Amino acid sequence: AQKITQTQPGMFVQEKEAVTLDCTYDTSDPSYGLFWYKQPSSGEMIFLIYQGSYDQQNATEGRYSLNFQKARKSANLVISASQLGDSAMYFCAMRLWETGANNLFFGTGTRLTVIP
Amino acid sequence: ETGVTQSPTHLIKTRGQQVTLRCSSQSGHNTVSWYQQALGQGPQFIFQYYREEENGRGNFPPRFSGLQFPNYSSELNVNALELDDSALYLCASSLELTGPGNTIYFGEGSWLTVV
């Protein structure tokens, strides 16, 4: 069965510091994609970054990078130079190729609080 | 701004009633998915519509149904509402199924409270 695990219910980080949010996944499907979304209190899920299972390099998008360790089945999100606006819920999600649908499996999320 | 719009943003219904939620997908996106997010949880996949047909369904009962229209907008209908249906309902859109990396964009959601 497919599963996403986020073990950090809450994290605190000082403004301008870097923070790592953990995500591990479980699937027997060789083809999958891993996503990170940010969810402010308004509710909208904002796409941050994507990593494919066959990608050779770790994905980066501005201040966001994904530390992909395939053998350990982990896909941690690194946010550099944290800003107050980064305070939100962060969800890791996985999509499988074989399901043939845009069915994202989500973790339970990590609430990030940036301290001034 | 993702271009995915949902309505209404908030609503309150009574147990046993029916509700319809609406979604306009991002321009050019022909695939729409619906998710239910209970308080303190991650979103759960309800179903997906591709070119006006249901194409994939999660573990939700038949009283959760949907439609997709020729302009790719979509509706989620829930009959016989139960208290546990209280949640944030998210609509997501994407391009044709081109692979696991097909980016999926979400709307701001509809907050449903069942009393």
Side-chain angles (χ1 to χ4, degrees):
Chain A
Q2 297 75 33
K3 188 176 182 181
I4 292 282
T5 302
Q6 295 181 255
T7 58
Q8 306 156 313
M11 289 283 287
F12 291 87
V13 62
Q14 204 76 36
E15 192 177 6
K16 299 180 185 177
E17 298 290 313
V19 63
T20 298
L21 306 183
D22 294 341
C23 172
T24 58
Y25 60 93
D26 188 21
T27 181
S28 57
D29 191 328
S31 300
Y32 52 88
L34 296 159
F35 299 77
W36 276 92
Y37 285 87
K38 171 185 178 182
Q39 187 177 43
S41 56
S42 62
E44 182 179 5
M45 299 289 281
I46 301 168
F47 168 75
L48 296 178
I49 197 166
Y50 161 80
Q51 179 84 43
S53 59
Y54 297 115
D55 293 345
Q56 295 298 312
Q57 293 188 323
N58 288 343
T60 60
E61 291 284 351
R63 295 187 297 113
Y64 305 108
S65 61
L66 200 152
N67 184 4
F68 181 47
Q69 298 186 45
K70 194 171 182 177
R72 298 179 61 183
K73 293 190 174 180
S74 74
N76 299 338
L77 176 71
V78 180
I79 304 174
S80 62
S82 296
Q83 302 171 357
L84 296 179
D86 293 336
S87 293
M89 284 291 291
Y90 287 80
F91 288 94
C92 179
M94 175 172 63
R95 179 180 180 268
L96 304 179
W97 171 258
E98 69 174 11
T99 60
N102 283 337
N103 178 358
L104 288 173
F105 296 92
F106 282 86
T108 52
T110 296
R111 180 170 297 281
L112 177 67
T113 303
V114 180
I115 303 167
Chain B
E1 287 287 330
T2 65
V4 181
T5 59
Q6 293 186 240
S7 63
T9 54
H10 295 80
L11 69 165
I12 300 173
K13 288 287 188 177
T14 303
R15 189 172 46 184
Q17 284 188 315
Q18 179 265 346
V19 68
T20 297
L21 308 178
R22 295 178 175 82
C23 172
S24 294
S25 61
Q26 188 175 57
S27 178
H29 285 187
N30 57 13
T31 305
V32 173
S33 310
W34 286 91
Y35 290 78
Q36 180 195 65
Q37 186 177 15
L39 200 62
Q41 302 292 320
Q44 299 285 321
F45 175 74
I46 302 175
F47 47 56
Q48 171 185 276
Y49 277 82
Y50 172 63
R51 293 186 173 179
E52 301 179 56
E53 291 198 2
E54 187 178 297
N55 177 13
R57 189 178 182 93
N59 189 25
F60 281 82
R63 60 190 185 83
F64 287 78
S65 63
L67 284 173
Q68 186 180 31
F69 300 100
N71 65 355
Y72 303 135
S73 65
S74 177
E75 285 182 357
L76 165 65
N77 300 290
V78 187
N79 294 322
L81 283 167
E82 301 175 359
L83 297 179
D84 286 348
D85 296 333
S86 296
L88 175 66
Y89 288 85
L90 293 162
C91 172
S93 78
S94 62
L95 289 171
E96 269 189 66
L97 307 177
T98 56
N102 190 17
T103 300
I104 302 169
Y105 295 97
F106 286 81
E108 293 194 4
S110 293
W111 295 88
L112 170 66
T113 301
V114 182
V115 298

